[in-house]
Every structure is written in C-alpha cells, then in structure tokens.
C-alpha cells in the first residue's frame, strides 16, 4: 500500500479535538476550508484541497492531511475515497482510532466551537 501523506493521530492542538484550546486559528481560516468537508450526496470534488495539519508545510512532503479531519469528514471528500479505493490510504483512517481523544462530529460543529473564542487574528 502506497503512503498517503497524513497524520495518524490528532496532535495536541488539532482543532477537531474537543479538548484542544479553541480559538487558536482565525475564523477566516475555517471559512476558507469549508470546501474540504462535503456532505453525503454533495461530496467535496476530486480537485478540492484537503484539510491539512497545521504543523505541515503546504506544497512539501510535510503537507499532511489532518487525522481529525480524515476521521470525521474524510469519507465525504472524493479525493480521499479515491485514495482508499487505490489502496493509498487504509479505510481505518476514516474513523477515530483506539485511545483517540473525543472529536467534534462535523465540520460545522468544529468550526463553530472554534469560532466562539476566536478574534480572527
């Protein structure tokens, strides 16, 4: 199986974690990334960017898909589905793993919780 560039566990600052500090990132960032989270029947198209881990560097090998994003809404992104079908990404990445922290249940819930305390720095 080829390696899909991703985090395998949500980092301590992951905005998908319910126990992470909220408001760490500006509201505008969540608004811009809304397109990465499709809905059943309205999946994010193949050419849509993925929600990257904030610890990665866009455009480099360190540009990793966020583990929390994959586990919560990854299945609603056609690029992620294709990676699973092509055996580049294990299907297990699309659900929280054993001993994971509690995650928000949707993109909307995660973005709203983080926006509550953000001052749009």
């Amino acid at each position: 199986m080829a390696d899909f560039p991703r985090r395998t566990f949500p980092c301590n600052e992951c905005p998908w974690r319910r126990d992470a500090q909220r408001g760490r990132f500006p509201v505008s960032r969540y608004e811009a990334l809304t397109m990465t989270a499709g809905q059943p029947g309205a999946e994010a198209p193949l050419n849509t960017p993925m929600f990257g881990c904030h610890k990665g560097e866009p455009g480099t090998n360190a540009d990793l898909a966020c583990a929390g994003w994959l586990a919560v809404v990854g299945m609603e992104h056609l690029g992620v589905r294709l990676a699973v079908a092509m055996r580049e990404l294990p299907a297990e990445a699309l659900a929280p793993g054993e001993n994971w922290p509690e995650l928000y249940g949707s993109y909307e819930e995660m973005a709203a919780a983080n926006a509550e305390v953000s001052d749009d720095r």
Side-chain angles (χ1 to χ4, degrees), residues 2-3 8 13 21 23 26 28 30 41 68 79 100 104 112 115:
D3 191 31
T8 57
E13 301 163 342
Q21 177 185 354
S28 60
Y30 297 110
W100 274 38
Y104 291 105

Side-chain angles (χ1 to χ4, degrees), residues 3 6 15 24 32 53 95 109 112:
D3 191 31
R6 66 185 172 98
R24 180 167 161 68
C53 175
E109 182 183 16

Side-chain angles (χ1 to χ4, degrees), residues 56-119:
E57 296 176 37
T60 71
N61 287 340
D63 189 15
L64 306 172
C66 171
W69 172 78
L70 281 170
V72 177
V73 298
M75 186 60 166
E76 305 309 333
H77 190 290
L78 294 180
V80 171
R81 285 190 192 176
L82 181 61
V84 172
M86 301 293 293
R87 301 179 54 89
E88 296 173 356
L89 176 68
E92 296 79 36
L94 304 182
E98 222 175 285
N99 299 316
W100 274 38
E102 186 177 354
L103 304 175
Y104 291 105
S106 69
Y107 190 92
E108 293 78 15
E109 182 183 16
M110 177 277 299
N114 280 282
E116 286 176 7
V117 292
S118 178
D119 61 1

Side-chain angles (χ1 to χ4, degrees), residues 9-49:
F9 188 85
C11 68
N12 290 340
E13 301 163 342
C14 181
W16 290 90
R17 291 177 67 141
R18 288 184 179 271
D19 65 351
Q21 177 185 354
R22 293 184 293 164
R24 180 167 161 68
F25 306 103
V27 172
S28 60
R29 192 161 177 189
Y30 297 110
E31 291 169 351
L33 292 170
T34 298
M35 72 177 126
T36 68
Q39 303 285 330
E43 290 80 3
L46 284 173
N47 62 344
T48 303

